Every structure is written in structure tokens, then in C-alpha cells.
Amino acid sequence: MTDTTLRDAHQSLLATRVRTIDMTAIAPYYASLLPQLFSMECWGGATFDVAMRFLREDPWERLSALRERLPNLLLQMLLRGANAVGYTHYPDNVVRFFVARAAERGIDLFRIFDSLNWVENMRVSIDAVREAGKLCEAAICYTGDLGDPRERKYTLDYYLGLARELKGAGTHLLGIKDMAGLLRPRAAYDLVKALREETGLPVHFHTHDTSGIAAASVLAAVAAGADAVDAAIDAMSGLTSQPNLGSLVEALRHGPRDSGLDPHKVRQISAYWEQVRRQYVAFESDIRAGASEVYVHGMPGGQYTNLREQARALGIDEARWPEVARAYAEVNELFGDIIKVTPTSKVVGDLALLMASAGISREQVLDPDTEVAFPESVVQLFRGELGQPYGGFPAALQRKVLKGAAPLATRAGAALEPVDLEAERAQLQRRSPQPVTEEDLASYLMYPRVFEDFARDRQLYGDPAILPTPVFFYGMEPGQEITIDLERGKTLIVRYLAMSEPHEDGTRTVFFELNGQPRSVRVDDRSRVAKRPPPRKIEPGNPRHVGAPMPGVVATVTATAGARVSRGETLLTLEAMKMETAVRAEVAGEVAEVLTRPGQVVDAKELLVVLR
């Protein structure tokens, strides 16, 4: 059995926000109490960028800390094939470089998948893992309904064909990645049995409990001969996470497929997570029970809570969540019923959020005469940058999205020039006051802007990963005292005393004690915003008014006053919760006014550019 608590469980339940300090505290107990685990899934997927982006942690430091504390367990990561741990394609040598670094720092088992089940996109990663001497688990992403006799696209023959290709590509294990929890018990039995008989490879089954009945599918997979299954520790299981580890251990106990795990020790570790989870209440989803609606929208469990957070950030409250779910299902149909897992699931979610927040209907999306500011991720998908979907893209929508541009005919990674790693390292070193490590370079290649922001904050403020979780997320109360362990034998005692009223320069003075000595520091008061006139809004129906399609932050501005622009030309790009959207001109004309700048926060329908 594989425990997913350190990666997919908290990604699915708590928006990927669990911090390294809470993982490393319990890791030695996993090593001593549950050594019979097949593996610990603890890295990769969304945890890589979220660690830097929101937690201000170095994901490589997390991996090293877990490797040190889990010496007797296989460490498993999730690798998005040609997308590595990103949301776009990278040159082949970048993927190989990243895999080699991960293998050196402690990953034993790489679960590799492609968001469109395109084996060509997985071969570079498979080869890199094998070259590193590590275990390769190529995964088949499951969608559709294998048990429905009306299923014509994602049939058993389809899955068996994929399995044969992956075996031929050299995988050691075969994974079933049921990211949305759509694999019903009977279908799970049939699929596992058929895959083992067809390939002779060990089969590792992964699912999510969004529907509330995933444990039945796991037990059916076990009965069919699955060699390993994923589960989450009791206190971090269920809902959009994995099925309950302790309960599955009990269900298999004393039988021919006993897991060998001690249920009492599982519950001991679960008691720790029950306490820790309370510190992350701000990231809990409002979902309280299994949702059969997952069989309608097919949203991956790892995306569910994140998408709800993104919807809230865009002003879509919980009462309107069903609109987003319906839009998600509609977008999937518009795209031709594609595999939905990162990064393709993000593309579907991006357009669904746009449709729900801007009130765009599916008819408007399809209408060739209605201008839609498609998110850049949608353009990339239809251009073929994420690969080729089974059955191809809907031709009419592809023409509209690409605006006449030709899509890629080959694998995107093969068309990209190799990156000069030494040149990139030198360029990064010129901007960094610290020596650039191999891991720094790997992070930069995956997420240039995110890494540079992280590195700048690390240089300014040090490592906030050492702070207790409640303090990191919620701050301290006057009179509260905490201890901070910098390293073995070096502990700081900090007592927060008080804060001054705002100064004229927009700062406050914070008073505290450090190891009993009074200290003070001036900090910016970010709650005090400069007053300014209310922003102008677009005039409905005026094609010369270019506005923000959704709330977000202006990333780039290419429009300049006096310049001539053609219809469909990009004027600026907008970012909102990892989604980048190109805002284009609806009509040809001359730029009369540019009312925005990079970094500006804008609301939906705020006027950004005026044409004449």
C-alpha cells in the first residue's frame, strides 16, 4: 500500500498547503511504525510550485529532509511527463535534467503520466528515469465509463493498447491514475485483471474518493490482482482525497491479500494528522460529503479544492459553484471529451471560470463571429503544445481559438531547441547574490518568475519554513510567545508585544522580545491602500473599449498610444490564480489610451485600453 498523505491527500483536501515542518515531524514515525508500506508519495505534482509560490519553501529542501527521515521507505513522486512538474512543455534536455536532480536528491519511484495519454510525450521521462536507475511507473489516466456498453471512445481495447505501448516503452510498473474517481468497482476489477493478463506487469491503482465509494473500487482492484494501491492516512482521507488507509487495512486483514500493516500503528499516525489538520482550517473545502456529480463533470480530486479557491478569488461565491461545475462539463464536451488531468484539467478549469465569471455561454464560445478572450492555456492546448488528444480536437473550435494559425503536427518537446543549461545558469547567477545550485537551476527552468520571486523573498526574509504553522498562516497575538528551532541546539524565543499606530510613511513599528531582549522593527502596513479615483468601466456593446474579462493582475502590456492594431491582436495579458489570458482587440483601429500598467490589480469589466 502507498500512503499519499504527504502529496496528493493534502493537495486534494487542503489546496496543497501542508508545510514541510508538519511533514518532517511525523516522517520518522512512518519509518519506524509502517515500514511495510510500498511507498510514500511525497513530492511532485502541484506541491513543487505551491511550495515556492505560496509557502515560500524550497521543494528540494523538503525532499532532502524527507529522504533523511524516511531512509527505509521508497519515496514516490508524480511527474507530468513532458510537462515535468510544470504546466507547459519543456525541451527534452530540461526534462532529463530535472529527473536526474530528483533522482539524486532521493526519489526512488517516478509515477509518470501524460495529460492526454499520449505515450510519445512520456518516452523522454521514462528513458530518463531508467537511465537514473530508478523505478519507472508509467500511468494510464482513466476517464469515461468502462462499464457502460454505450462507451465508444475510452473502451477496454483503448486502455489495453496504451498498456502495450507503455510496456514497449520500458516501464517497470503500470499505473492506473483515476484522478477523478470515475472508475467504478466492476470496471476496476475488469480493467486491472485485463491489464495484468495483457502485460504481465505489476499494476498500481490510484483513485480519489470524491464519489464516496472509491474504497469499493480499491477492494475490487485488489481482488482482481492489483499489486499496489494508494490510500491516505485516516485523518486525511475521503472526499477528494484517497480512500481511508486504516479502513482498507482492516478490510484486507486476515485475508489472502493482507497488507501486513498494523492498524493500531496506522491509527497512531492518524491521531497526529487529526491535530495538524486543524491548523489548515482556512484551506478546507466546503464539501462535506461524497458527490455523485463527479460522474457528470469528471473533475480531478486534486483540482476540486483548488478550483473552488480560484472561483472564490474571482468573486464567484459558493452559491454559484454549480455554475462552475456545469461550465466545466460543457467545456469538456466543447473540447471533444478529453482526458482531464493536470495540465489539461487546468485548461478546462480556466475556460470554465472565464465562462462563469464573464457570463459567456457555450453558444458564444462556438460562434465564429463572437470574440472570446480565450485563456492562453486554451490557445496552447489547441495549438498542440500539450500533445495530441485521442480522436483529435474539434476542428471548428480549433480554428476559432487559433485564429487561423496552424497547429503543431509533431511532439512539442521535439520541436523545442535544447536549452543551454550553462548559459541559463550564468544568467541566473548574475541576478543572484548566492551561488546557484543545480536544484536552483532546475526550479528556475520550471518556473522562472516564481523561482525569482521566491529567491528574492528568501534573500530578504530568510527561511519562513522554520516558523510554526499557525504563526506562518495567521500571525501572533499580543503577549504570545513561541520557540523557533534554527538548527540542533540553537533555539530562538520570540514574544510579540504590540504594534504602533500607522506612521505617515505607511509603516508600523512592531515591538517584540527576542530571547528576553526588547526589539522593534518597522514593517509596511499593506492594509493601507493609497486613495485613487474609481477605475473606469467599459461601455457595454462598445467594441473600442477593451476591458478585463475577469479580475486579475496585468502581467504585460504591449499596446502603446498611437499604435495601429488589427482585429484579434494581443493588447495585454492578464493573470488570475495561475491562469494567463491574452486580451485582444475586437476591432482594428488606433490605440487612443492605455489605462493600465504591468502589476496593476484590475476588476472584471474595468477599462484597460481605448481604441479609435
Side-chain angles (χ1 to χ4, degrees):
M1 303 193 80
T2 291
D3 186 298
T4 65
T5 307
L6 304 186
R7 207 283 300 176
D8 204 7
H10 76 93
Q11 179 175 323
S12 301
L13 292 176
L14 304 173
T16 328
R17 293 304 198 273
V18 172
R19 302 172 68 236
T20 299
I21 193 172
D22 296 320
M23 297 182 187
T24 54
I26 192 63
Y29 296 91
Y30 273 104
S32 61
L33 298 178
L34 301 178
Q36 302 88 352
L37 283 169
F38 171 62
S39 63
M40 288 288 299
E41 191 196 36
C42 61
W43 210 62
T47 65
F48 190 89
D49 68 292
V50 169
M52 294 188 292
R53 194 189 302 264
F54 298 120
L55 303 181
R56 292 306 189 226
E57 294 185 359
D58 187 333
W60 298 99
E61 292 176 0
R62 174 182 296 183
L63 177 56
S64 294
L66 291 173
R67 177 72 284 169
E68 179 184 350
R69 291 162 176 79
L70 295 166
N72 58 332
L73 289 171
L74 292 179
L75 298 191
Q76 177 178 318
M77 77 162 290
L78 186 67
L79 190 73
R80 299 164 180 159
N83 308 119
V85 289
Y87 301 96
T88 186
H89 263 63
Y90 301 95
D92 292 349
N93 71 320
V94 170
V95 175
R96 289 193 293 268
F97 178 73
F98 184 89
V99 169
R101 299 287 76 71
E104 287 180 3
R105 290 297 287 266
I107 293 298
D108 303 297
L109 172 59
F110 291 76
R111 175 177 284 163
I112 302 168
F113 73 96
D114 178 69
S115 60
L116 293 170
N117 274 346
W118 198 32
V119 176
E120 288 305 306
N121 267 349
M122 302 168 69
R123 291 184 185 275
V124 172
S125 297
I126 291 172
D127 292 343
V129 171
R130 290 177 61 95
E131 288 169 11
K134 301 298 182 177
L135 283 170
C136 174
E137 180 184 307
I140 296 170
C141 297
Y142 178 85
T143 194
D145 184 2
L146 195 60
D148 188 343
R150 296 170 298 179
E151 179 66 61
R152 293 292 179 268
K153 188 171 186 179
Y154 301 109
T155 63
L156 185 58
D157 285 342
Y158 165 78
Y159 291 112
L160 292 180
L162 277 175
R164 288 190 293 269
E165 283 190 73
L166 292 173
K167 181 179 181 179
T171 188
H172 299 119
L173 298 85
L174 200 60
I176 299 173
K177 184 173 170 59
D178 180 23
M179 54 281 171
L182 300 178
L183 189 53
R184 297 160 173 83
R186 185 183 64 188
Y189 182 92
D190 292 341
L191 181 58
V192 170
K193 188 171 185 295
L195 289 176
R196 293 190 86 256
E197 291 175 351
E198 180 72 21
T199 67
L201 293 174
V203 173
H204 191 170
F205 178 47
H206 167 90
T207 189
H208 288 256
D209 202 21
T210 312
S211 67
I213 64 163
S217 296
V218 171
L219 293 174
V222 171
D227 299 272
V229 295
D230 284 5
I233 205 74
D234 304 20
M236 294 286 286
S237 68
L239 302 178
T240 52
S241 178
Q242 278 66 57
N244 188 303
L245 176 64
S247 295
L248 287 171
V249 168
E250 292 281 16
L252 296 169
R253 199 175 178 194
H254 306 308
R257 306 220 67 197
D258 193 316
S259 68
L261 298 173
D262 184 334
H264 173 67
K265 293 176 180 177
V266 171
R267 287 189 283 272
Q268 283 183 285
I269 292 178
S270 179
Y272 167 83
W273 283 110
E274 186 174 350
Q275 298 300 316
V276 166
R277 186 169 174 176
R278 295 174 184 175
Q279 301 176 1
Y280 294 88
V281 64
F283 304 103
E284 291 274 5
S285 167
D286 289 333
I287 183 173
R288 293 290 180 267
S292 60
E293 73 169 5
V294 71
Y295 295 116
V296 177
H297 56 63
M299 198 178 296
Q303 181 185 32
Y304 194 90
T305 53
N306 283 314
L307 197 64
R308 291 185 85 124
E309 284 293 319
Q310 290 175 344
R312 274 195 286 266
L314 293 174
I316 303 173
D317 58 28
E318 290 300 319
R320 294 183 57 201
W321 172 251
E323 294 178 34
V324 178
R326 283 195 301 273
Y328 193 96
E330 287 182 352
V331 172
N332 178 53
E333 292 179 11
L334 289 169
F335 287 2
D337 188 14
I338 63 170
I339 306 289
K340 292 170 292 300
V341 63
T342 306
T344 54
S345 58
K346 178 186 179 299
V347 181
V348 175
D350 286 353
L351 186 53
L353 287 175
L354 176 63
M355 291 171 67
S357 62
I360 300 172
S361 67
R362 62 177 296 164
E363 288 74 25
Q364 289 175 305
V365 172
L366 291 172
D367 184 1
D369 296 323
T370 300
E371 183 67 29
V372 175
F374 287 107
E376 189 60 29
S377 61
V378 176
V379 178
Q380 292 172 349
L381 174 69
F382 277 83
R383 194 185 293 135
E385 292 185 21
L386 300 184
Q388 301 300 320
Y390 180 58
F393 290 110
L397 183 58
Q398 187 176 40
R399 284 194 297 271
K400 178 174 180 177
V401 170
L402 298 184
K403 300 183 181 299
L408 291 173
T410 59
R411 183 174 65 86
L416 295 174
E417 290 293 326
V419 168
D420 186 334
L421 298 178
E422 290 309 313
E424 290 292 330
R425 187 198 314 276
Q427 180 180 343
L428 182 59
Q429 186 63 75
R430 284 194 291 271
R431 300 195 298 272
S432 175
Q434 302 294 331
V436 173
T437 66
E438 296 283 271
E439 289 71 30
D440 290 340
L441 178 59
S443 297
Y444 174 75
L445 292 171
M446 291 291 110
Y447 293 97
R449 188 184 307 172
V450 172
F451 174 76
E452 290 192 316
D453 289 347
F454 160 76
R456 184 181 62 250
D457 278 7
R458 175 65 66 91
Q459 182 67 24
L460 285 172
Y461 306 118
D463 183 8
I466 62 176
L467 294 173
T469 292
V471 173
F472 178 81
F473 285 128
Y474 312 114
M476 297 174 67
E477 296 294 329
Q480 182 181 355
E481 182 177 282
I482 63 171
T483 60
I484 302 173
D485 294 321
L486 297 181
E487 56 187 62
R488 188 183 295 275
K490 186 180 290 186
T491 300
L492 300 180
I493 302 174
V494 179
R495 179 190 293 273
Y496 170 46
L497 300 176
M499 181 164 50
S500 73
E501 291 298 313
H503 304 303
E504 291 184 358
D505 62 357
T507 63
R508 291 176 184 257
T509 301
V510 178
F511 300 95
F512 62 100
E513 290 180 357
L514 179 62
N515 292 342
Q517 300 298 313
R519 299 285 183 89
S520 66
V521 63
R522 287 173 76 113
V523 300
D524 292 331
D525 183 352
R526 296 180 181 177
S527 67
R528 300 183 67 80
V529 181
K531 295 180 180 179
R532 62 182 176 89
R536 293 162 60 183
K537 296 289 185 179
I538 61 172
E539 294 177 5
N542 185 347
R544 300 193 181 280
H545 274 196
V546 181
M550 66 176 71
V553 177
V554 176
T556 62
V557 179
T558 56
T560 56
R564 297 289 302 178
V565 295
S566 56
R567 182 177 183 270
E569 185 173 334
T570 298
L571 303 176
L572 56 97
T573 59
L574 192 68
E575 283 188 351
M577 296 299 288
K578 299 187 186 180
M579 177 174 65
E580 185 171 298
T581 298
V583 180
R584 306 172 191 274
E586 291 189 26
V587 295
E590 181 181 307
V591 177
E593 294 180 86
V594 178
L595 305 172
T596 189
R597 65 186 186 282
Q600 182 177 338
V601 178
V602 296
D603 291 325
K605 300 182 180 179
E606 186 171 328
L607 184 62
L608 305 178
V609 177
V610 179
L611 304 177
R612 62 176 168 230

